[in-house]
C-alpha cells in the first residue's frame, strides 16, 4: 500500500498510527520480545489496514540470509524431477523460503554458471541433481565457498548430504521379475554412464543375472541418454536397431520414463507387440504408466518424500549449521502390470 503522497508505508508509519515505538512493532513482526496481547492486536490491525509489508531485502542483509534456495535439475523434462520439484517447492513455501529453479541440461559447465549466478543473488543454499562431471566443476566450487548443498537422485562423490532412492536392489527385483517369467535375453536401456544412479542400476541388473546363472552380455546394456540428442529420440533409434537383430532380446528395461516412450515407439514402428512379442518394464512410474495398453510394469520412486526430505534437510543445514553428512535412502515399489507377460518359446531360451 502507498500513502497519499505515493510513498510506501513504513514501520515508522505503523508505529505512529498505533501510538507505539518502532521497536515494539519490530518485536511483534519478529516475535523477539513479549508484547501484550492488546498492543499486539492494535499493531496487527494497523498493519492490516495500511497494507504494510516489511522490507525483506534489508532484513535479509542484516541477518546475512535471503530465505532463498537454488534448485538445479539435470533434466527438467523428466517426470520424476517434475514431481520432486513440486514437493521441494511445497516444503520451502511451508518454511517461508523461495526457490530459484534452473535446468542444467546435464551440462557441467552450464551447471556451474547457474550455481555462480544464484550465488550472486545470495541464495542460502542449494538442492542439486548433479551431472556426470559435477565433481570437477560445481563440486569444487561448493567446497571453496562452503555453501550448504543437498544432492538429490544422483550422488556426488562420497561426501555431502544426499537424498534419493535405493537403486541397486530395486533394479535387481525388476530384473528378477522378468527372469521369473522365462526371459533370459534382457536388454537394459541405461542412463548416462559414470552417474551413481546409472551404475547402481546396472549393478542391480548384473546381480540378478548372476543369481540365476545367466551370462552378462554387455551388448544388451546400451546408453539411452545423450547430451546432444533428445532421450526419447536416441532411445527409439537404438531400440529399433536392436529389435531388428536375429538374436534380439525378449525383454527391455528402460531406465526412466522418457526412455520407455522411445522404447514403445520403436517397437510400435516395427510392429512388435507388447507383451506378446516383447516384454517392457521401466524404472520410474507416473500417471500414464497405468494408461498404457498394456499397463506398464514399473519401479515407483517416492518422489514427494524425496523432495520434501531434501528441502527439510537443506533448511536444517542453513538454520543450524553443518553436521555429519547424511545419506537418506528411500525404498521403491515394484508395480506389476501387464507389459511383461510375453510368452516365450522354449527354443528362444538360453538356460
Amino acid at each position: 500500500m502507498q500513502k497519499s503522497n505515493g510513498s510506501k508505508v513504513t514501520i515508522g508509519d505503523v508505529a505512529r498510527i498505533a501510538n507505539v515505538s518502532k521497536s515494539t512493532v519490530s518485536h511483534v513482526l519478529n516475535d523477539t520480545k513479549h508484547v501484550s496481547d492488546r498492543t499486539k492486536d492494535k499493531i496487527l490491525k494497523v498493519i492490516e489496514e495500511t497494507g504494510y509489508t516489511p522490507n525483506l531485502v534489508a532484513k535479509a542483509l542484516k541477518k546475512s540470509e535471503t530465505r532463498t534456495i537454488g534448485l538445479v535439475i539435470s533434466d527438467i523434462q523428466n517426470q520424476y524431477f517434475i514431481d520432486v520439484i513440486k514437493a521441494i517447492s511445497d516444503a520451502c513455501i511451508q518454511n517461508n523460503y523461495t526457490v530459484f529453479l534452473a535446468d542444467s541440461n546435464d551440462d557441467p559447465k552450464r551447471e556451474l554458471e547457474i550455481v555462480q549466478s544464484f550465488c550472486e543473488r545470495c541464495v542460502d543454499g542449494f538442492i542439486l541433481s548433479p551431472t556426470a562431471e559435477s565433481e570437477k566443476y560445481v563440486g569444487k566450487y561448493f567446497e571453496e565457498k562452503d555453501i550448504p548443498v543437498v544432492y538429490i537422485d544422483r550422488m556426488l562423490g562420497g561426501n555431502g548430504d544426499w537424498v534419493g532412492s535405493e537403486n541397486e536392489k530395486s533394479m535387481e527385483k525388476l530384473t528378477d521379475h522378468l527372469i521369473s517369467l522365462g526371459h533370459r535375453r534382457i536388454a537394459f536401456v541405461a542412463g548416462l554412464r559414470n552417474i551413481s544412479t546409472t551404475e547402481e542400476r546396472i549393478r542391480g541388473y548384473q546381480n540378478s543375472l548372476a543369481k540365476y546363472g545367466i551370462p552378462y552380455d554387455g551388448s544388451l546394456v546400451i546408453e539411452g541418454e545423450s547430451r546432444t540428442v533428445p532421450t526419447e529420440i536416441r532411445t527409439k533409434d537404438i531400440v529399433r536397431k536392436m529389435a531388428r537383430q536375429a538374436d534380439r532380446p525378449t525383454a527391455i528395461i528402460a531406465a526412466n520414463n522418457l526412455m520407455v516412450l522411445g522404447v514403445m515407439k520403436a517397437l510400435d514402428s516395427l510392429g512388435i507387440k507388447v507383451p506378446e512379442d516383447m516384454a517392457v518394464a521401466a524404472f520410474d512410474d507416473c500417471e500414464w504408466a497405468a494408461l498404457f495398453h498394456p499397463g506398464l510394469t514399473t519401479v515407483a520412486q517416492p518422489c514427494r518424500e524425496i523432495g520434501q526430505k531434501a528441502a527439510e534437510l537443506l533448511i536444517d543445514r542453513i538454520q543450524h549449521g553443518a553436521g555429519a553428512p547424511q545419506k537418506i535412502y528411500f525404498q521403491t515399489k515394484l508395480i506389476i502390470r501387464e507389459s511383461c507377460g510375453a510368452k516365450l518359446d522354449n527354443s528362444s531360451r538360453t538356460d
Side-chain angles (χ1 to χ4, degrees):
M1 180 179 177
Q2 292 184 331
K3 294 182 286 188
S4 57
N5 63 3
S7 60
K8 276 189 77 173
V9 175
T10 66
I11 191 172
D13 296 321
V14 173
R16 177 176 51 77
I17 296 169
N19 196 28
V20 298
S21 66
K22 288 196 291 185
S23 62
T24 301
V25 176
S26 178
H27 289 317
V28 169
L29 290 172
N30 298 296
D31 195 25
T32 50
K33 186 177 179 180
H34 175 73
V35 176
S36 71
D37 291 341
R38 183 179 177 183
T39 301
K40 183 184 295 184
D41 290 343
K42 182 169 61 172
I43 292 170
L44 292 175
K45 184 179 179 182
V46 172
I47 289 172
E48 182 179 357
E49 290 174 348
T50 60
Y52 167 72
T53 55
N55 188 334
L56 297 178
V57 174
K59 183 178 177 182
L61 289 172
K62 186 176 180 180
K63 288 189 170 185
S64 297
E65 67 176 41
T66 59
R67 299 195 77 85
T68 57
I69 285 172
L71 174 56
V72 188
I73 299 299
S74 56
D75 185 1
I76 208 167
Q77 295 182 85
N78 190 322
Q79 183 65 48
Y80 164 82
F81 284 121
I82 293 173
D83 293 342
V84 170
I85 290 167
K86 177 66 167 64
I88 290 171
S89 176
D90 288 347
C92 287
I93 289 171
Q94 290 173 5
N95 288 277
N96 297 316
Y97 279 81
T98 299
V99 178
F100 292 158
L101 171 65
D103 181 5
S104 70
N105 198 31
D106 261 320
D107 182 335
K109 292 182 180 179
R110 176 177 173 178
E111 178 183 66
L112 178 58
E113 290 171 358
I114 291 167
V115 167
Q116 291 173 328
S117 175
F118 283 175
C119 283
E120 290 173 1
R121 288 162 175 77
C122 300
V123 298
D124 297 328
F126 285 88
I127 297 175
L128 186 87
S129 167
T131 72
E133 299 180 81
S134 290
E135 201 152 5
K136 293 193 300 185
Y137 294 91
V138 78
K140 290 184 177 180
Y141 183 80
F142 282 141
E143 287 181 9
E144 293 170 359
K145 297 293 183 180
D146 193 26
I147 303 168
V149 57
V150 173
Y151 298 105
I152 55 171
D153 188 52
R154 302 164 174 179
M155 202 176 293
L156 189 66
N159 299 318
D161 294 313
W162 173 86
V163 181
S165 294
E166 200 296 314
N167 289 287
E168 190 169 331
K169 283 291 184 184
S170 301
M171 181 56 72
E172 184 175 339
K173 288 179 182 178
L174 180 55
T175 311
D176 286 350
H177 173 64
L178 287 164
I179 293 173
S180 74
L181 295 173
H183 296 282
R184 295 299 181 268
R185 284 188 61 75
I186 302 169
F188 178 36
V189 186
L192 291 169
R193 298 304 302 261
N194 300 318
I195 288 177
S196 63
T197 50
T198 299
E199 302 307 321
E200 288 165 1
R201 291 172 192 177
I202 290 175
R203 285 199 300 271
Y205 166 84
Q206 291 173 325
N207 292 344
S208 179
L209 296 179
K211 187 194 312 180
Y212 290 93
I214 301 171
Y216 173 72
D217 183 350
S219 68
L220 292 176
V221 178
I222 48 183
E223 195 169 343
E225 287 186 319
S226 165
R227 294 193 183 94
T228 57
V229 181
T231 297
E232 186 180 328
I233 294 174
R234 176 179 170 85
T235 301
K236 181 180 177 181
D237 289 343
I238 58 180
V239 170
R240 278 175 62 88
K241 291 176 184 176
M242 178 181 287
R244 288 194 184 103
Q245 297 171 359
D247 60 344
R248 76 186 189 194
T250 61
I252 298 178
I253 300 172
N256 65 34
N257 49 66
L258 290 176
M259 291 182 200
V260 81
L261 290 174
V263 170
M264 299 297 271
K265 287 182 178 180
L267 298 180
D268 182 64
S269 70
L270 296 171
I272 297 174
K273 295 181 180 180
V274 177
E276 291 86 355
D277 304 323
M278 182 83 71
V280 175
F283 207 103
D284 277 346
D285 190 63
C286 51
E287 291 179 1
W288 47 258
L291 301 177
F292 262 43
H293 183 70
L296 188 64
T297 292
T298 62
V299 171
Q301 301 189 74
C303 303
R304 180 154 196 85
E305 290 86 345
I306 289 170
Q308 181 172 339
K309 188 62 181 179
E312 291 172 352
L313 180 54
L314 178 61
I315 291 169
D316 184 67
R317 289 290 189 225
I318 292 169
Q319 295 180 350
H320 302 109
Q326 295 188 43
K327 301 285 188 295
I328 301 173
Y329 291 84
F330 282 90
Q331 295 303 309
T332 62
K333 182 180 180 181
L334 176 59
I335 301 178
I336 298 174
R337 300 189 180 100
E338 300 83 17
S339 65
C340 292
K343 295 180 181 179
L344 299 180
D345 187 300
N346 285 335
S347 63
S348 67
R349 301 187 182 184
T350 56
D351 295 303

